Amino acid sequence: MLESALKFIKEICDHGFTAYIVGGFVRDYILKVESNDIDVATNAKPKEIKEIFENSCLPSEDYGSVTVMKWGIRFEVTTFRKEISYVNNRKPAEIQYIDDLYQDLLRRDFTINTICMNFEGEIIDFLGGQDDLEAHVIRTVGLAKERFEEDCLRILRAVRFATILDFQLDDSVIAAIKEKKYLLKNLSYYRKKEELDKIFTSSKASLGIQLLLQLGLDKDLELERLGEITKTDSLIAVWSILDVVDKYPFSNNEKSLIKEINEARKLNNLDPMALYRYGLYANSVAGYIKGLDKKKIAESYQNLVIHSRKDLDITTEEILSFLKRKPGNYLKDIYCDLEHEVLYRRLPNQKQEIFAYLQKNYL
Ligand code: ATP
Ligand code: MG
């Protein structure tokens, strides 16, 4: 990936501009960690970048940055800039393109994210990023309090990097987070969730949760149940415990799954009715949260006599003609009764047996 990255910025330089690899890729390269995309800083304007590369697009929201897909790699190319004013402790309201790498680095969040590389592969480190990488410290560029006030997303990014990299937050960062964390109320739930997902899916997620709790961020993030999370191998289990679907954004699918998991958590997950009603997945996640044996749940599910209504050895037409009645709401009760009796093996799932049961109880 490094070779592609160097080739990419060389191409920009060949067009008479300056360009550097910056941010996550250089940080991860020094740490010998895989990166998924490459951030580039350049004095070329977005329009000029679009002219150099065919597969480029200007995302509408991220003003001043161009995404280029090349060799299967995603390059995020951002023009050197100064951020002049911020609105609502988040987005810069105004930016100014500049011609100077150093000035561009000053607007970045943490020292470890300001290390650059030129097309010859040489490291450029104006702000002591390498020292902090070696010391495993997250330190802001400039005064932490000011930087968090400008953009409070940086509070969560600090926790995210500390979690993923297993680094310490500098004392000044800890103090500033404690003082400015109330600003998180201004941050969209979408952004909060994006960062939280990265923290929760990290292999060091429990460290991240401890850190969020130590900093008291659970209150500002409205995650009252954060302290209840003891296992982090399943993201959906984490969000089910947190139970914040009314605030944080989830797809309709995720919402109904979380609801089912939380219903299933209240039941015995080996019970035939619980398994039948909420299915294997919701019961497995519920069981995982409670520390039950996954295999046993799967076995109990496999052993269910029926897995859905259509597995009953009788059709609606057969019931209606047997009872000589017209369809109506009463059918729902009959089905519930039959499912119940069959699931608990009091009634064999055989047509003749079911007819006999209907005869006895419904005629
Ligand atoms: P990763 O890509 O691994 O999530 P990253 O550090 O590359 O981490 P990006 O979100 O890709 O993070 O941002 C690229 C760079 O842009 C960062 O390294 C940092 O220099 C700068 N940056 C991103 N977000 C902010 C922010 N909210 N405030 C200041 N600088 C930022
Ligand atoms: Mg990046």
Side-chain angles (χ1 to χ4, degrees):
M1 210 163 168
L2 176 68
E3 261 179 46
S4 307
L6 298 180
K7 215 160 104 189
F8 185 87
I9 52 171
K10 173 90 171 29
E11 203 162 331
I12 303 177
C13 295
D14 286 345
H15 282 80
F17 301 104
T18 54
Y20 301 89
I21 315 169
V22 67
F25 182 81
V26 185
R27 180 193 71 219
D28 294 342
Y29 174 76
I30 296 174
L31 291 172
K32 300 190 171 60
V33 178
E34 285 265 325
S35 268
N36 36 15
D37 58 12
I38 297 174
D39 299 290
V40 171
T42 177
N43 64 349
K45 306 269 164 52
K47 224 178 113 238
E48 293 164 329
I49 291 296
K50 282 199 80 174
E51 280 163 16
I52 301 176
F53 300 103
E54 268 171 21
N55 284 336
S56 52
C57 62
L58 276 169
S60 53
E61 198 210 349
D62 254 359
Y63 182 53
S65 145
V66 183
T67 306
V68 182
M69 285 304 299
K70 206 170 162 73
W71 310 305
I73 301 171
R74 211 171 80 130
F75 293 88
E76 292 286 341
V77 186
T78 310
T79 308
F80 294 154
R81 64 172 69 174
K82 229 177 171 166
E83 290 171 349
I84 297 175
S85 62
Y86 293 80
V87 271
N88 293 338
N89 319 99
R90 170 67 187 109
K91 267 196 192 127
E94 224 183 305
I95 62 165
Q96 183 191 328
Y97 291 140
I98 51 174
D99 204 27
D100 178 23
L101 171 68
Y102 178 73
Q103 288 294 325
D104 178 76
L105 297 179
L106 291 180
R107 60 122 187 138
R108 292 176 183 270
D109 49 6
F110 306 108
T111 55
I112 58 166
N113 289 343
T114 63
I115 311 169
C116 302
M117 206 186 261
N118 65 14
F119 70 79
E120 283 171 325
E122 290 162 351
I123 297 280
I124 297 141
D125 178 18
F126 289 130
L127 301 170
Q130 287 188 105
D131 289 343
D132 286 337
L133 258 194
E134 256 167 55
H136 291 197
V137 170
I138 311 285
R139 190 194 314 277
T140 49
V141 174
L143 288 176
K145 285 179 194 172
E146 283 175 14
R147 303 312 310 282
F148 292 156
E149 194 157 338
E150 285 170 356
D151 179 359
C152 62
L153 177 67
R154 292 170 188 155
I155 294 178
L156 294 183
R157 285 175 60 91
V159 176
R160 192 234 300 180
F161 290 124
T163 304
I164 292 178
L165 303 173
D166 196 1
F167 277 21
Q168 296 296 315
L169 296 175
D170 184 66
D171 286 345
S172 65
V173 170
I174 294 176
I177 290 180
K178 287 185 177 160
E179 192 180 319
K180 300 293 177 187
K181 66 195 169 103
Y182 72 95
L183 294 172
L184 286 172
K185 67 177 185 303
N186 298 335
L187 189 62
S188 74
Y189 286 102
Y190 178 82
R191 290 281 175 213
K192 291 187 231 199
K193 181 155 180 293
E194 249 185 358
E195 289 302 320
L196 287 168
D197 275 338
K198 288 179 186 168
I199 294 172
F200 295 152
T201 50
S202 152
S203 60
K204 302 269 164 41
S206 354
L207 276 184
I209 291 171
Q210 284 316 310
L211 192 53
L212 289 168
L213 288 167
Q214 277 162 20
L215 294 165
L217 291 174
D218 48 327
K219 309 223 169 38
D220 302 274
L221 294 166
E222 299 163 275
L223 302 175
E224 278 151 37
R225 298 178 180 273
L226 192 66
E228 292 174 28
I229 296 167
T230 50
K231 289 188 282 177
T232 52
D233 307 307
S234 154
L235 185 61
I236 195 77
V238 168
W239 283 115
S240 298
I241 295 171
L242 293 174
D243 201 13
V244 285
V245 287
D246 50 337
K247 293 197 177 101
Y248 281 76
F250 292 91
S251 70
N252 285 340
N253 256 349
E254 289 168 326
K255 274 186 200 166
S256 52
L257 188 57
I258 288 174
K259 196 166 164 240
E260 281 169 5
I261 292 167
N262 283 335
E263 292 290 326
R265 282 170 69 197
K266 294 180 207 146
L267 304 173
N268 167 3
N269 305 107
L270 298 174
D271 178 74
M273 204 59 205
L275 287 162
Y276 180 77
R277 196 144 163 204
Y278 297 111
L280 179 58
Y281 186 60
N283 277 288
S284 300
V285 179
Y288 162 82
I289 293 170
K290 293 192 262 180
L292 302 178
D293 184 352
K294 202 173 158 186
K295 257 203 189 139
K296 268 195 186 157
I297 296 176
E299 264 169 34
S300 305
Y301 184 78
Q302 288 312 320
N303 289 337
L304 289 181
V305 184
I306 52 169
H307 293 91
S308 79
R309 196 162 276 184
K310 68 174 174 13
D311 293 343
L312 281 174
D313 192 20
I314 197 153
T315 64
T316 308
E317 291 72 33
E318 285 169 331
I319 297 176
L320 291 173
S321 87
F322 185 80
L323 298 178
K324 298 191 180 56
R325 290 182 69 175
K326 295 221 163 71
N329 264 345
Y330 70 92
L331 263 175
K332 226 165 72 189
D333 297 336
I334 293 184
Y335 265 120
C336 274
D337 187 15
L338 292 178
E339 285 165 331
H340 208 263
E341 293 303 299
V342 168
L343 278 167
Y344 289 100
R345 298 172 188 268
R346 290 190 287 257
L347 169 63
N349 186 24
Q350 286 159 10
K351 215 179 290 292
Q352 291 315 317
E353 298 275 0
I354 298 176
F355 279 142
Y357 183 84
L358 290 173
Q359 167 98 35
K360 187 170 161 221
N361 294 284
Y362 292 95
L363 268 182

